[in-house]
Structure formats: C-alpha cells, structure tokens
C-alpha cells in the first residue's frame, strides 16, 4: 500500500473528525473521544494492515528460503545463474518464487544478473534474503562452486528461525497480556470502581462528614485522575510494545489507536447505572 493512500485516509479522517466536533452539540468527553477515534483509527488501521501484509510476506519468504537454498546447492557446478533464477521462479515457494519471477523478468528485459538480484534485495527488507541474494551475486561474479556455502546458509536459517519462533512466542505473550490487561481490563475496573464510589458518595444517608458539593468535587478529581492514568498507561504500553517489536516509531501509531479506545471503553462502562 502506498504512503500516499495512508496520508489521504489520514486527511479524510481528520476532516471527518473536525465536522463531528462542529456539528455535535453540546461538546462532551464522549464526543471528543469519538472525534479522536475518527481522526486516528482509519489511518492507523490502514497502516497496521499494510504492516501486517508486509510482515506476512517477509515471514513466508524466510520460511521457504532454506528449501530454496538447498535447491540452489543441488545444481551442478557450471549451471548458469539465469537457469537457477528461472528454476526458483517456477518452484512452489509462494512469495519467494514470485520475487524470483520478477527478477527473471528483469534479466529477460536486459538487466544484468547482479543488478536484477540487487533489485530483489531492495524490494524485500529481509536480512536473510539479502544474504542469499549476495551469495548468488558472488557465485555469478566468481564462477566458483558455492554449493557448500548455500547449504551452510540454509542450515543457519533453519537454526535462526527456531530461535526467532521461541522469542516471538515470549514477546507475543507479553504484548497481548499488556494490551488486553492494561487497555481493556484496567479501564473497565476503574470505571466500575468509580460507579460504586459515585453511588456511595451521593448517598446522603452515609454521612461521611462532607457536603454534597465537596463529594462531587472529590468525585470529579478522581474521574480526571483515572482518565489521566489511562492516557499515561496507553502511552507506556504503546512504547513498550513498539520497542519489543524493534520499531520504536510505531509507538505513536499504537498510542493514537489505544488511547481513544481505552478512554471510550472507560466512558462507556462508567455510563452504565448498576444501581438503577
């Protein structure tokens, strides 16, 4: 997905949010939260969808890469690189075969093999494919038998994938626990506690030694403090998840999506009257 598409969606969402704030009267916290969600949710969803597709493609390429490398290693010593590329393009490696098919078309169009393989590296931001393409370039330029090197790289990729899967499982557990617990359970619990406290505070028969005005002021302070805490928690959770994924810049996008959702959930639960 092009960046211009996401930018256009962001502009349209911002315009829609401004219109909401213009026509919704009177303004309330719920209206502000809905406007914030309108402004940030669509472009954030498009961005995450694009990131998901890119990550899915990279994962499929890296999963099929070892088999492709073993296939390259099985070719006779003097096999042309054009034949190797054509064989990989016609094999059943999914996205990896599709990428080599693009490389084959570039070679057939007159581009040199090294330049076509460099384009392959540029199109795919994966270190494993980059290393494999570099080996293919070296094999083409030197004409040496690099079957042993390809086998070693394939074995290294297998080992690395095992380590990555274990690490990814641990990180995913932490991430989903934090997001589900902090951005769903915490606002629900805070809202329920405030509902109970609010009902107790305004019950004149309990007599806590404070007037109704003072109790209302205390409740308003607790409400403000709860909302502030949720925003700070969403910011910390966003930064933590983005750092765990190795993409700190995504923290802003996570926050733009999580903060309105968390506050809307808090507001929705707080509006439920359990004592009617």
């Amino acid at each position: 997905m092009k960046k211009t598409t996401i930018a256009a969606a962001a502009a349209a969402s911002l315009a829609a949010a401004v219109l909401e704030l213009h026509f919704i009267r009177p303004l309330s916290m719920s209206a502000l939260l809905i406007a914030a969600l309108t402004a940030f949710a669509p472009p954030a969803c498009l961005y995450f969808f694009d990131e998901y597709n890119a990550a899915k493609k990279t994962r499929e390429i890296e999963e099929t890469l070892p088999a492709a490398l073993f296939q390259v290693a099985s070719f006779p010593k003097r096999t042309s690189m054009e034949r190797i590329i054509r064989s990989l393009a016609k094999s059943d490696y999914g996205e990896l075969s599709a990428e080599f098919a693009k490389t084959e078309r570039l070679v057939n169009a007159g581009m040199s093999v090294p330049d076509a393989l460099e384009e392959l590296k540029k199109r795919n931001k994966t270190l494993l494919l980059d290393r494999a393409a570099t080996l293919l370039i070296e094999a083409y330029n030197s004409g040496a038998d690099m079957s042993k090197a390809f086998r070693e790289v394939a074995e290294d990729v297998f080992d690395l994938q095992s380590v990555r899967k274990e690490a990814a499982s641990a990180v995913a557990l932490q991430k989903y626990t934090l997001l589900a617990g902090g951005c769903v359970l915490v606002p629900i619990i805070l809202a329920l506690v405030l509902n109970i406290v609010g009902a107790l505070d305004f019950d004149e028969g309990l007599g806590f030694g404070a007037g109704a005005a003072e109790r209302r002021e205390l409740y308003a302070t607790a409400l403000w403090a709860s909302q502030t805490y949720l925003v700070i928690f969403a910011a910390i959770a966003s930064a933590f998840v983005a750092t765990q994924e190795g993409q700190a810049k995504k923290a802003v996008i996570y926050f733009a999506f999580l903060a309105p959702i968390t506050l809307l959930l808090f507001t929705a639960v707080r509006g439920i009257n359990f004592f009617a």
Side-chain angles (χ1 to χ4, degrees):
M1 187 180 300
K2 295 182 179 180
K3 292 182 179 180
T4 52
T5 302
I6 298 177
S13 299
L14 182 60
V18 171
L19 288 175
E20 286 179 357
L21 293 176
H22 179 73
F23 288 107
I24 295 178
R25 289 292 184 273
L27 284 178
S28 63
M29 178 59 70
S30 298
L32 292 174
L33 292 175
I34 292 173
L37 193 59
T38 300
F40 293 113
C45 288
L46 284 177
Y47 177 85
F48 286 131
F49 180 72
D50 187 48
E51 288 288 307
Y52 169 78
N53 285 333
K56 181 181 178 182
K57 177 182 177 181
T58 299
R59 185 170 59 251
E60 183 176 336
I61 287 174
E62 293 184 348
E63 286 177 351
T64 55
L65 187 58
L69 291 173
F70 280 125
Q71 179 176 330
V72 173
S74 68
F75 282 102
K77 179 179 178 180
R78 300 188 183 280
T79 303
S80 69
M81 190 57 64
E82 290 84 354
R83 180 184 172 189
I84 292 175
I85 292 173
R86 183 166 57 253
S87 176
L88 293 175
K90 293 181 178 179
S91 298
D92 189 20
Y93 296 134
E95 291 290 347
L96 182 59
S97 291
E99 287 300 319
F100 273 101
K102 295 177 183 177
T103 302
E104 183 187 13
R105 286 195 292 271
L106 290 176
V107 173
N108 292 338
M111 183 178 288
S112 68
V113 169
D115 288 344
L117 290 172
E118 287 292 343
E119 288 297 320
L120 172 67
K121 293 163 62 175
K122 292 177 182 178
R123 288 195 307 269
N124 300 276
K125 304 301 182 181
T126 160
L127 182 60
L128 298 180
L129 182 58
D130 185 284
R131 184 177 178 184
T134 300
L135 278 177
L136 289 171
I137 293 172
E138 291 179 1
Y140 178 82
N141 290 332
S142 66
D145 182 10
M146 301 186 68
S147 57
K148 182 179 179 182
F150 283 113
R151 288 193 186 92
E152 290 177 351
V153 172
E155 292 170 356
D156 290 343
V157 172
F158 269 127
D159 294 338
L160 182 59
Q161 285 176 348
S162 299
V163 174
R164 278 186 173 182
K165 287 179 180 179
E166 292 178 3
S169 298
V171 170
L173 179 62
Q174 294 178 353
K175 179 171 70 175
Y176 293 127
T177 300
L178 178 64
L179 294 179
C183 298
V184 177
L185 294 180
V186 170
I188 290 176
I189 293 172
L190 279 178
L192 291 175
V193 170
L194 275 176
N195 284 349
I196 296 172
V197 171
L200 293 175
D201 280 347
F202 296 109
D203 186 352
E204 297 293 342
L206 292 177
F208 287 119
E214 294 174 328
R215 292 197 296 274
R216 289 190 180 90
E217 184 177 351
L218 180 62
Y219 179 80
T221 302
L223 176 61
W224 177 85
S226 298
Q227 292 173 325
T228 302
Y229 168 79
L230 290 175
V231 171
I232 294 174
F233 191 93
I236 295 174
S238 300
F240 177 79
V241 171
T243 302
Q244 287 289 88
E245 293 179 347
Q247 301 185 51
K249 63 181 180 180
K250 291 174 64 174
V252 177
I253 298 174
Y254 279 129
F255 176 74
F257 189 73
L258 290 177
I261 289 290
T262 301
L263 290 174
L264 273 175
L265 183 59
F266 172 80
T267 303
V269 176
R270 195 172 59 83
I272 299 175
N273 185 2
F274 292 95
F275 303 96

